[in-house]
Amino acid sequence: VNLDDDRFMEANFLYEKVIRIVTAERTGLFRDISTVLADENLNVVSSGFEYNDTRESATWNIGVEVTNEDELAAVLRKIKKIPNVMEVGLA
């Protein structure tokens, strides 16, 4: 992940980035994702999700503020390890 990408916006030495997460449905999933973000001390600036047509999976878009690409990469790795997360990347 490269913070020089034009999809990053600088604001007070923080970069706003939207993480896209595709998941299979599971009770407690929102809590698990939120816990990773809180444990990493990330500020969430936007969020939303949509189910697919069969409600078997959902796509989450969560805007966070990060200080550098290492911090972002670490968060993406941790989210990827959450049960029922099928894909994680940048929106």
Side-chain angles (χ1 to χ4, degrees), residues 43-64:
N43 186 37
V44 174
V45 296
S46 65
S47 67
F49 79 99
E50 292 183 26
Y51 282 108
N52 73 353
D53 291 337
T54 61
R55 294 183 65 93
E56 293 174 0
S57 67
T59 300
W60 305 65
N61 290 296
I62 303 173
V64 296

Side-chain angles (χ1 to χ4, degrees), residues 45-90:
V45 296
S46 65
S47 67
F49 79 99
E50 292 183 26
Y51 282 108
N52 73 353
D53 291 337
T54 61
R55 294 183 65 93
E56 293 174 0
S57 67
T59 300
W60 305 65
N61 290 296
I62 303 173
V64 296
E65 293 177 330
V66 296
T67 57
N68 60 58
E69 65 185 76
D70 292 336
E71 181 180 43
L72 178 60
V75 168
L76 295 178
R77 281 192 304 273
K78 289 178 182 183
I79 292 172
K80 180 74 173 174
K81 293 178 182 179
I82 295 172
N84 290 56
V85 169
M86 299 184 299
E87 298 175 30
V88 63
L90 303 178

